[in-house]
Amino acid sequence: MKRILLTAAVACAALVAVAQRADYRIIPLPKSEVTDTAHVFVLRDGMGIAFDAANSEVTRNADFLRQWVEEVSGVKLVMTPDDKKAAVRLTLGFATDKKSKKKKGQQVPSLTPQQEEAYTIAVTQDGILIQARQPIGFFRAAQTLRKSLPVKARSAADSSVELPFTTITDEPRFAYRGAHLDCSRHFFKVDFIKRYLDVLALHGCNQFHWHLTDNDGWRFEVKALPELAEKGSWRPQSPLRRAGLWDGTPYGGHYTQKECRELIEYAAERYINIVPEIDIPAHIYSALEVYPDLRCDVLHQRGSDQVLCAGNPKTLTVLKTIFGELCDVFPSKFIHIGGDECPKGGWERCPKCQAKIKDLGLKEDGKHSLENQLQTWLNREMGQFLSERGRDMIGWDEILEGGLTDGGLVMSWRGTKGGLEAAKQHHRVIMTPTDFCYFDYYQLRDHDRQPPAIGYYLPLSKVYSFEPLDGIPEEEQQFILGVQANLWTEYVAYPQHVFYMLLPRLDALSEVQWCRPDLKDFEDFKERLPRLKRFYDRIGVNYCHDME
Ligand code: ACM
Ligand code: ZN
């Protein structure tokens, strides 16, 4: 008995000792990591972080690192910009880049966006040296260290951690690494969006696709059309899903342009671009309730079946006002126009829409219906409008149905077929197929162990197995910009429920977005996950505890 107790005590002590050590096998896994566990550098309170204080962006990232090291491990580092011998040093520029520049007369190949994000971390007896091509690399490196450090008990007496000697070299696989949030079906406050952005940044995501409007609520303030936000953001009641009842309680909320700008800045400091979406010409009941003259005036259209009237000249004027303000607020190169699930029954019966089809000279071509071609005409008008403002239009893959607009990006959600077709036509593509990327689906087979969800089943293992370039011919793979998770919120009303649906599935998707396929291994991923969950516990972020 005594022996057993002693063994347990020793094992416990060993666990505590191990728990004070960094482990660089994080999520998403760095591209290359060579670690010598026999030697460690001990990071302690009062050690310094050196950086170029003249560069405010570098300074911000150095300070993120300081905050994050303390948050996870308790070690309090100090900012010592001029101390070249500090324990942690941030230096800009790669020696290999300098060498290649020196070769006279030779063209220096331009860097991919992924190479711009590259960083290295070297831990030696001298401390931690972080090198990056651009300040963004410091941010990525700081996130890597944050996740590598042990989550120490806040009461731990010893405030030091051991970092095994290592050389980490890292950069992402895809340029576009996104996650979406539907803020129409349910409205989430600015403070929560900041937390959501923090979690995206933790996963190396660089795009937040913000679904700002839908049938259930208009969330974007348009100053020239104030009623959109004042009235269109409110609904008299919400469905009690499953029960088939209504709650009888008014529900609403919207983001002012000032709040949008605040979030854009917050996201930019975390190297995330916000891609705003105003969904047209369907999914727009919230606006049609406010401006009924913008809908096709035909019988048999009800609620969410209703669409914008493409034949009414006022429609385009109003859309240009809305998208004009959207472009004024959001600096994003990409602007999302939705375009999904547009029922064509109204357009088929609407005299104005049919007259427009005639005016435009649209003809049956055996491939695209006249109404689908009408939608493509509307997309083209919007694409042109955005292009004049230096923006590129993104649409859900339905935008292919009437013939794709030049320069438009396709978000392939009904499988990867649309993405494949668009890539063949040399259009850029973002892969977000329902089968792998729809995080509103159940994540466990047993529905009773989860809050009600929209249906279907998307377990962690399936998310992890996604290979976005499968079936894409090699010469067309360059058009696949990246991958995105979508989180629709018909069933998701509260922040901790959002995180429950997101995590750990975003962990799995982050390896699809970040890692070369040959590095991926689901069994290994599962072994790395518990450490990240401890980190989620530390920062107070919810996640699904079970995994399938
Ligand atoms: C979509 O899920 N309707 C894009
Ligand atoms: Zn019409």
Side-chain angles (χ1 to χ4, degrees):
M1 183 69 178
K2 250 188 195 156
R3 252 188 76 197
I4 293 169
L5 273 181
L6 194 64
T7 316
V10 170
C12 215
L15 264 182
V16 171
V18 168
Q20 310 306 318
R21 268 201 172 199
D23 179 345
Y24 309 114
R25 294 190 57 76
I26 57 160
I27 296 172
L29 199 60
K31 189 173 171 187
S32 152
E33 170 243 334
V34 181
T35 296
D36 165 10
T37 50
H39 298 92
V40 295
F41 175 77
V42 181
L43 195 65
R44 299 180 198 286
D45 275 353
M47 286 181 162
I49 306 181
F51 55 95
D52 177 5
N55 184 327
S56 60
E57 196 179 345
V58 170
T59 305
R60 192 177 64 230
N61 287 318
D63 198 48
F64 275 138
L65 179 62
R66 181 194 63 72
Q67 291 171 43
W68 291 341
V69 167
E70 183 173 351
E71 171 192 57
V72 63
S73 70
V75 176
K76 294 184 179 62
L77 299 177
V78 287
M79 306 283 270
T80 51
D82 299 327
D83 178 3
K84 300 282 180 287
K85 291 208 174 68
V88 185
R89 281 161 298 139
L90 273 57
T91 67
L92 262 186
F94 283 169
T96 46
D97 290 353
K98 281 179 201 139
K99 256 189 231 147
S100 65
K101 266 187 201 142
K102 272 193 191 137
K103 285 187 194 157
K104 270 207 181 132
Q106 269 187 8
Q107 200 84 26
V108 180
S110 59
L111 298 173
T112 63
Q114 296 92 307
Q115 288 169 328
E116 300 279 359
E117 296 187 52
Y119 69 89
T120 63
I121 300 174
V123 179
T124 63
Q125 68 276 11
D126 297 330
I128 304 169
L129 175 65
I130 303 173
Q131 288 180 288
R133 281 205 172 94
Q134 302 289 345
I136 185 174
F138 294 138
F139 185 79
R140 301 279 174 239
Q143 293 280 15
T144 291
L145 281 170
R146 181 187 196 194
K147 288 181 275 187
S148 300
L149 292 175
V151 178
K152 278 178 58 176
R154 294 211 194 272
S155 56
D158 176 13
S159 64
S160 66
V161 290
E162 294 178 352
L163 289 98
F165 287 6
T166 195
T167 304
I168 294 172
T169 310
D170 201 11
E171 69 182 45
R173 179 184 181 198
F174 287 105
Y176 185 111
R177 304 177 303 278
H180 142 293
L181 186 65
D182 167 10
C183 291
S184 172
R185 273 54 176 267
H186 282 103
F187 174 72
F188 299 95
K189 292 190 176 143
V190 167
D191 279 352
F192 173 69
I193 303 293
K194 288 184 180 170
R195 299 230 67 200
Y196 195 75
L197 290 164
D198 287 340
V199 170
L200 302 201
L202 184 72
H203 290 82
C205 291
N206 62 355
Q207 306 289 333
F208 169 48
H209 171 174
W210 200 5
H211 188 73
L212 281 165
T213 64
D214 213 300
N215 293 325
D216 312 71
W218 185 279
R219 309 287 175 220
F220 175 64
E221 177 192 29
V222 181
K223 288 190 193 282
L225 302 163
E227 290 187 327
L228 277 175
E230 281 162 17
K231 292 189 181 155
S233 68
W234 282 90
R235 56 183 184 243
Q237 53 183 341
S238 303
L240 292 165
R241 311 255 170 202
R242 299 278 169 233
L245 300 169
W246 292 83
D247 68 1
T249 309
Y251 181 94
H254 74 274
Y255 305 102
T256 64
Q257 292 192 1
K258 185 164 173 276
E259 287 171 327
C260 292
R261 288 198 168 94
E262 179 186 332
L263 283 169
I264 290 160
E265 190 182 335
Y266 187 88
E269 287 180 351
R270 285 146 187 86
Y271 299 98
I272 294 175
N273 172 57
I274 301 186
V275 180
E277 180 188 356
I278 302 282
D279 202 347
I280 61 163
H283 287 275
I284 195 159
Y285 180 64
S286 55
L288 296 180
E289 275 285 276
V290 182
Y291 297 109
D293 56 328
L294 292 182
R295 63 180 144 211
C296 294
D297 187 14
V298 291
L299 294 174
H300 313 303
Q301 285 203 112
R302 288 181 303 115
S304 56
D305 291 343
Q306 300 185 24
V307 296
L308 283 167
C309 180
N312 179 350
K314 194 173 158 199
T315 297
L316 211 49
T317 310
V318 168
L319 288 182
K320 288 181 179 175
T321 300
I322 293 169
F323 279 88
E325 289 200 24
L326 196 70
C327 287
D328 289 346
V329 173
F330 289 88
S332 175
K333 175 80 178 156
F334 304 131
I335 302 286
H336 206 306
I337 61 149
D340 57 323
E341 301 178 309
C342 175
K344 296 294 186 320
W347 286 4
E348 282 163 11
R349 290 190 301 272
C350 170
K352 282 192 203 138
C353 285
Q354 289 302 315
K356 187 75 197 176
I357 286 172
K358 262 212 182 111
D359 278 1
L360 293 168
L362 303 179
K363 296 272 168 340
E364 291 288 356
D365 63 3
K367 275 201 296 199
H368 312 297
S369 73
L370 292 173
E371 288 72 25
N372 281 342
Q373 292 181 56
L374 184 61
Q375 187 171 353
T376 291
W377 164 77
L378 185 64
N379 295 342
R380 285 212 174 106
E381 290 288 322
M382 295 315 298
Q384 178 66 28
F385 176 84
L386 293 173
S387 150
E388 282 160 15
R389 282 151 188 79
R391 315 306 176 91
D392 293 340
M393 177 185 91
I394 304 186
W396 298 107
D397 59 39
E398 285 91 337
I399 65 167
L400 288 164
E401 287 177 349
L404 181 58
T405 314
D406 291 345
L409 277 82
V410 173
M411 203 166 252
S412 190
W413 72 281
R414 296 174 302 174
T416 53
K417 224 172 45 277
L420 172 65
E421 197 186 315
K424 276 195 183 143
Q425 297 173 40
H426 294 187
H427 288 288
R428 290 166 294 168
V429 171
I430 296 146
M431 289 295 193
T432 176
T434 52
D435 283 353
F436 299 98
C437 298
Y438 268 45
F439 290 2
D440 52 337
Y441 294 179
Y442 283 106
Q443 49 198 320
L444 307 173
R445 232 179 243 293
D446 180 357
H447 289 186
D448 293 341
R449 283 161 57 212
Q450 303 150 88
I454 199 153
Y456 308 100
Y457 172 51
L458 177 54
L460 192 67
S461 53
K462 181 96 189 268
V463 176
Y464 197 82
S465 71
F466 183 40
E467 173 41 53
L469 300 186
D470 262 356
I472 311 284
E474 207 174 316
E475 59 282 11
E476 269 122 37
Q477 292 183 357
Q478 59 181 300
F479 297 106
I480 311 299
L481 288 198
V483 180
Q484 178 175 291
N486 288 342
L487 184 35
W488 302 101
T489 58
E490 284 93 338
Y491 286 76
V492 182
Y494 301 102
Q496 293 299 33
H497 190 181
V498 170
F499 284 137
Y500 174 89
M501 301 306 276
L502 188 75
L503 303 171
R505 288 187 285 196
L506 187 64
D507 295 295
L509 200 73
S510 75
E511 298 224 331
V512 177
Q513 295 174 325
W514 190 277
C515 304
R516 302 287 179 276
D518 54 303
L519 272 188
K520 284 175 60 207
D521 174 342
F522 187 57
E523 291 310 310
D524 183 67
F525 168 80
K526 280 196 293 189
E527 280 173 22
R528 286 180 275 126
L529 201 49
R531 285 184 47 239
L532 195 55
K533 288 181 172 176
R534 277 202 291 281
F535 179 72
Y536 291 149
D537 292 336
R538 163 58 47 93
I539 62 173
V541 165
N542 197 22
Y543 53 89
C544 177
H545 286 244
D546 301 307
M547 54 184 173
E548 289 176 359

